Every structure is written in C-alpha cells, then in structure tokens.
Amino acid sequence: MRSDKIKKGFQRAPHRSLLRACGVTDKDFEKPFIGIANSFTDIVPGHIHLRELAETVKVGISQAGGVPFEFNTMAICDGIAMNHEGMRYSLASREIIADTVESMAQAHSLDGLVLMPTCDKVVPGMLMAAARLDIPCIVVTGGPMLPGKFQGKDVDLINVYEGVGAVSSGKMSMEELDELEKCACTGAGSCAGLFTANTMACLTEALGMSLPGCATAHAVDAKKMQIARSTGARIVGMVKEQLLPSQIMSQDAFENAVAVDLALGGSSNTALHIPAIASELEEKGVKVDLELFDVMSKQIPHIASISPAGEHMMLDLDRAGGIPAVLKALETKLNTDVITCTGSSMEENLAEISVRDESVIRPLDNPVHTEGGIAILKGNLAPNGSVIKQGAVSEDMMTHQGPARVFNSEDECVEAIFDNKIQEGDVIVIRYEGPKGGPGMREMLNPTSAISGMGIESVALITDGRFSGGTRGPCVGHISPEAMADGPLAALQDGDVINIDIPNRLLEVKLSEDEIKERIASAAKPERKLKGWLARYQKMASSADKGAILR
C-alpha cells in the first residue's frame, strides 16, 4: 500500500507517533488509509451539509476495513460571487482545489480518496486531481437543493435573478420579489435546476466516477446518506482492486459523459471543465476538445428539458430514474463496456434500469430537439470556437442578425441594461472578460437574467467570458481567441453587424479580414491592476477552447 511509506518499518516510528496522536491504533496500521476531501463550508448552500455527509462516509470506510482521514478544500458559491470582483476567483479556484487535493494525498501517502464536492468549480477541480494522482478515487456529490414554490410554481435561484429584471421593468412588484427571494432557495444543496453544479454531478456519474443514482439524489434525501455510506465502503474495495481513475475515465467514458451532457442540455461550462479534466489524462491517450462536442451534438438528441431550459427540475429528473435512466435511454449510442467505480461495466450497471417517466426523459425517437443541447460556433469572430446552449434558445432566435452594442466589461453592460439603453434586435458584446482578460472568465448571469426578466426577447449576447448554467437564450460564450489575446472581439465597434446562425454553426461580423486586423492593431486594451493569485492566474491561463487550464 502507498501508506506503507508513512507507517512501516522502524524508520517510520516518528511518523507512527504522529499518527497515534490522531487516534490511529496498532490494528489501523494494517489497514488502507483513505482520505476524504471535503469541501464543507457554511457560506455555500451546496456544501453546508457535507460535514454530516462526511461522517456517514467515514462509517462506510471503517466498516469496510479502512481508516478515514478527513481534510478540507475551498468552495466558492457562484451565486454569491456573481456580478462583482469576487466572480474573477471562481474559475481560478478550480485549479487551487485540484492542487489542494493533490498536495494532501501525496504528502500523506494516502491509499485512496473519497472526493466530496457539490458546486460548480469544486467537482471538476476534484476530478482533475483524481486524474492527476491516479490512485483509487470515488466521488460523492452533495446533491441538488429542493425547488421552492412561488405563486404555485416551482422556482429556483434563476427566478430570483430574473425577478430583479422584472422589477426594473415594472413586471413585478418589490413585495413579490421579496416573497420570491425568501422561498426560492430552500436549504442545503446545489441550485435546483440543471445549472453547472448539477450538470457536473451528472457527468461525474456518467463518467463512472460516482455510484449510480448519486448525481440526482437530493441533499436532504436519505438516499444521499445511503449512497455516502456505500461510497465509503466502495473506496476500500477499489483500493484492494487497484481500480484507478485512468481505467475509469477513458476516452470512451469521456464520450459517454459528453453524450449525457448533450442529451440533458446541460451547462455550457462543461465545455471548459470536461476538456480540463481530460487534459490531466493526455498521456493516457485521452483527448476532449470543442470539436468532439460539435461532432457529437449532431448525433445525440436533446431528450430532457430541465430548468432553465424547461419546466422540469432536478427533482423530476431524479424521480424519472436519474442518470441511470438517461444512460438507459441513450444506451444504443454509448460505449457501455467501460468499467465504472462499481467494479462492473456500465452495461452491467444498466441491466435492470428503466425510464420511469418518459415525459421527463424522452425516448430517442421523441426528443425535445433532434440535436444535442450544446453547439459550437465558429467564424471570423470565433476562429477557435465558441459555445452556446442551443437547447435553451427559442426557435425564432436560432438565427439572429443585428447591430453590436460593445462593452469592455460586464459591469458596463449591466448598467446599460438597467438604464434601458438596450434595444430589441441588438447584439450585446461583452469583451475583455476571458481567462486572461477578466481575468478569471466571469459568468454573465446578471445581464442575461436581467434581459429575460425585463421581457426583452430579440436580443443576443456574445462574450469571451462565460455564462452561468442558469442562463437561457441566444448567449454565445467562450469566444476564442479572447479579446485580451488579440482575438477578433477586440476589433468590434458599436453598429457593426453581427450574424449568429446556430443551425449552421456560424458567428460572424460583416467586416473584412483586413478591417479586423487593422482595428485589433489599434485597440486600446483595458488595464486592470492585479495582485496575488489572480495576477499569477492571468499569466498562466490558457484560452477557453483549451479549458482555461494553467499552462
């Protein structure tokens, strides 16, 4: 066992002495040492229950013959960090989380890990660490939040953001917004729709890195506690079998995860996180890029319409059978011979599975849309690609052409929206918000939800930043190269005619290549005074089409 490095032989007497101070007994030195990477914090709803969940994991580990050691990582709530400087730290935190887990596992020679994330950057950060370490690892995600009820309808955080826009346009009263604010977020768990956190939990299960049913088992459901205990027991078995992340997260497994993402119409942020996780396995022959998303989006239909794209919530998806049922519906399009953390193949895991509600998880011959929920657009504005959640775009906005309204930051754009300076037909451009430009590639939930809440229908938004998983509508993000790296967005001026054609995968501006080059050469880039971690991140961050990883 790896842990023999810190517990075997007379030279390790000092190490054992320190471990005894932690309560380790003579018998424990013969058992595998299992780390629990817990992202508990009491300022993030998705994580406030993880302390108790970790205790259940420990029981499972101990009963299976392992010794549990819990440690913590950071977790940022994107909703609380939204629309101010704090959002610059969100994506960057993914790298810190991966480094933290790697550091703790390596420094203490742990034999295996149970990874306990819930929210947006924490899930991919921990999976990056698992791939990098390549020791037995299993994930138990914290689970979704129950939806709230407002005026007889299910609601979640996005309804509150859109409510702000509705109040500013007179479509909702302050009293109604206050009522909505107080009932939308009901307690522990990741926000109740298919936003980034829940999308990543679903893809973790589709990758085979968490037990069947884990992704949609809600935070307050006893089923989550049962899965946590089983997860603790299972990691001990994985250590004995030496079942490694590189064996589970194969190229075929990643393609399964992308297929589930497209079938669910998940968050566009997966086009950052899945390539970032895959980059840790390049030496194993794994490659996931935007091209894979685009090719597969034409093969995999969108079969479940979950908030914000539709009326169903994560609770409905769970009751319909969760990710096992989604995998069953997609079975003929998947690589089902892949090994999973259960020790069995996906095919074996799905043998007794069925879809419980075909109004939530539709059959392949009756999809919500014939193509997958994400599309990759290219053109003279996005030579290296851009990402749109096409499953959340209305039919009449699948193509749009209009004049550019250019802003050099999200803050400038939000001010213009609330000052009623955006007109129907406009294409809002928010630039210098990419991985280097932001830095940190801020999410643009405030402008998109304000537009939706105000009832402005024929406006598009394009950015080298990114969008919350709660965004809906014609919003194109991750435009690469970004403006700060002399991408074409830097050339745009108010009034330039922009063409968005999702069916034909085009994002273009009606300018010649020479005009674009001349304007970029004379563009005045904003200067942001940086210090600390963000300054380092800006220097090292790769482009969005590469997953915004550090290189």
Side-chain angles (χ1 to χ4, degrees):
M1 290 187 288
R2 272 170 47 101
S3 58
D4 287 351
K5 297 175 186 176
I6 61 170
K7 64 187 184 186
K8 294 291 185 180
F10 80 94
Q11 292 179 334
R12 295 297 182 260
H15 304 65
R16 289 193 298 272
S17 184
L18 290 166
L19 289 165
R20 290 182 192 278
C22 299
V24 176
T25 67
D26 285 343
K27 289 183 178 180
D28 289 337
F29 288 119
E30 303 303 318
K31 302 173 183 177
F33 282 7
I34 308 297
I36 301 173
N38 190 355
S39 52
F40 163 80
T41 171
D42 55 16
I43 197 172
V44 183
H47 297 242
I48 58 176
H49 62 306
L50 294 185
R51 180 181 284 164
E52 291 76 21
L53 204 65
E55 293 303 315
T56 306
V57 171
K58 289 177 186 177
V59 171
I61 292 170
S62 298
Q63 288 180 338
V67 183
F69 295 97
E70 182 181 353
F71 61 90
N72 283 88
T73 68
M74 65 183 295
I76 287 175
C77 177
D78 282 17
I80 297 173
M82 196 71 66
N83 198 36
H84 59 88
E85 290 301 303
M87 179 49 75
R88 302 195 190 284
Y89 288 87
S90 176
L91 181 59
S93 75
R94 184 186 69 186
E95 316 305 315
I96 298 175
I97 291 160
D99 292 348
T100 300
V101 175
E102 175 195 3
S103 299
M104 289 297 289
Q106 294 288 61
H108 302 103
S109 296
L110 298 173
D111 296 304
L113 288 173
V114 175
L115 306 173
M116 296 188 64
T118 303
C119 289
D120 301 37
K121 289 346 135 291
V122 193
V123 179
M126 288 193 178
L127 285 171
M128 289 167 69
R132 189 183 301 169
L133 288 162
D134 207 24
I135 64 174
C137 292
I138 190 170
V139 183
V140 55
T141 46
M145 181 188 297
L146 290 174
K149 280 285 185 183
F150 177 71
Q151 297 179 350
K153 293 184 178 180
D154 286 339
V155 291
D156 53 41
L157 178 68
I158 303 309
N159 298 99
V160 186
Y161 270 101
E162 293 184 357
V164 174
V167 167
S168 69
S169 63
K171 298 179 182 296
M172 177 182 280
S173 69
M174 284 293 295
E175 291 74 21
E176 287 175 314
L177 179 60
D178 182 61
E179 181 187 348
L180 176 59
E181 171 193 329
K182 290 174 179 174
C183 72
C185 296
T186 59
S190 43
C191 298
L194 189 65
F195 315 144
T196 305
N198 287 326
T199 302
M200 286 306 305
C202 292
L203 301 196
T204 301
E205 187 176 327
L207 270 171
M209 287 295 290
S210 59
L211 293 180
C214 182
T216 61
H218 279 50
V220 297
D221 192 334
K223 183 166 58 174
K224 179 60 71 178
M225 299 294 279
Q226 294 158 5
I227 289 172
R229 182 177 291 201
S230 297
T231 298
R234 180 59 196 141
I235 188 59
V236 178
M238 293 174 72
V239 169
K240 292 175 180 176
E241 298 159 16
Q242 279 301 288
L243 180 55
L244 306 177
S246 61
Q247 296 170 290
I248 297 170
M249 293 193 286
S250 62
Q251 180 70 31
D252 284 348
F254 274 102
E255 290 178 11
N256 289 341
V258 172
V260 168
D261 189 15
L262 296 168
L264 290 174
S267 167
S268 58
N269 282 312
T270 57
L272 286 172
H273 298 320
I274 295 299
I277 299 163
S279 73
E280 300 286 349
L281 292 161
E282 285 177 343
E283 293 181 357
K284 302 290 185 179
V286 175
K287 181 181 179 183
V288 178
D289 54 19
L290 294 186
E291 190 65 26
L292 178 63
F293 277 84
D294 195 45
V295 168
M296 291 187 66
S297 74
K298 296 170 184 175
Q299 302 169 350
I300 305 294
H302 179 203
I303 62 172
S305 190
I306 314 297
S307 172
E311 296 297 318
H312 292 130
M313 295 289 184
M314 290 299 294
L315 191 59
D316 299 303
L317 182 60
D318 186 53
R319 289 169 174 168
I323 297 309
V326 174
L327 293 168
K328 190 69 175 181
L330 294 172
E331 191 169 17
T332 58
K333 293 182 175 290
L334 301 177
N335 308 300
T336 57
D337 59 347
V338 294
I339 192 72
T340 71
C341 66
T342 65
S344 301
S345 69
M346 179 181 289
E347 182 179 11
E348 291 170 317
N349 292 344
L350 296 178
E352 305 298 324
I353 299 297
S354 61
V355 176
R356 297 178 197 151
D357 187 344
E358 290 193 345
S359 71
V360 178
I361 302 171
R362 297 196 189 184
L364 292 177
D365 59 3
N366 183 33
V368 181
H369 300 107
T370 55
E371 291 190 353
I374 288 177
I376 307 301
L377 312 186
K378 291 188 176 183
N380 66 358
L381 271 182
N384 295 347
S386 62
V387 182
I388 186 167
K389 184 160 60 172
Q390 66 171 343
V393 179
S394 63
E395 196 64 37
D396 60 342
M397 288 298 289
M398 293 295 283
T399 61
H400 180 76
Q401 185 169 290
R405 292 295 313 280
V406 183
F407 302 95
N408 287 342
S409 71
E410 178 193 7
D411 311 83
E412 293 177 18
C413 173
V414 170
E415 184 178 349
I417 291 170
F418 284 111
D419 285 346
N420 296 307
K421 293 180 179 178
I422 302 300
Q423 305 297 317
E424 295 281 3
D426 286 346
V427 178
I428 298 170
V429 178
I430 304 178
R431 63 188 177 190
Y432 299 112
E433 289 283 11
K436 290 182 179 292
M441 206 176 179
R442 289 197 288 181
E443 287 185 344
M444 305 293 166
L445 181 57
N446 255 43
T448 60
S449 58
I451 289 167
S452 295
M454 294 169 75
I456 304 172
E457 296 181 353
S458 59
V459 166
L461 194 157
I462 69 173
T463 181
D464 52 9
R466 61 196 178 93
F467 296 108
S468 161
T471 294
R472 56 191 174 95
C475 302
V476 185
H478 308 196
I479 293 175
S480 300
E482 63 177 290
M484 190 62 83
D486 294 328
L489 280 190
L492 293 181
Q493 298 175 2
D494 281 350
D496 289 339
V497 177
I498 293 174
N499 180 47
I500 301 170
D501 186 341
I502 300 172
N504 290 304
R505 304 298 199 261
L506 291 175
L507 179 62
E508 299 176 318
V509 59
K510 293 188 180 300
L511 294 173
S512 69
E513 289 302 308
D514 288 341
E515 286 176 299
I516 291 173
K517 288 178 182 178
E518 288 172 10
R519 288 192 190 178
I520 290 174
S522 60
K525 298 176 182 177
E527 293 186 13
R528 308 197 200 280
K529 292 183 179 179
L530 300 170
K531 59 182 180 180
W533 164 235
L534 280 184
R536 299 198 302 275
Y537 181 85
Q538 185 180 54
K539 291 177 181 178
M540 299 171 67
S542 68
S543 63
D545 63 298
K546 303 295 184 185
I549 55 176
L550 299 187
R551 283 290 182 265

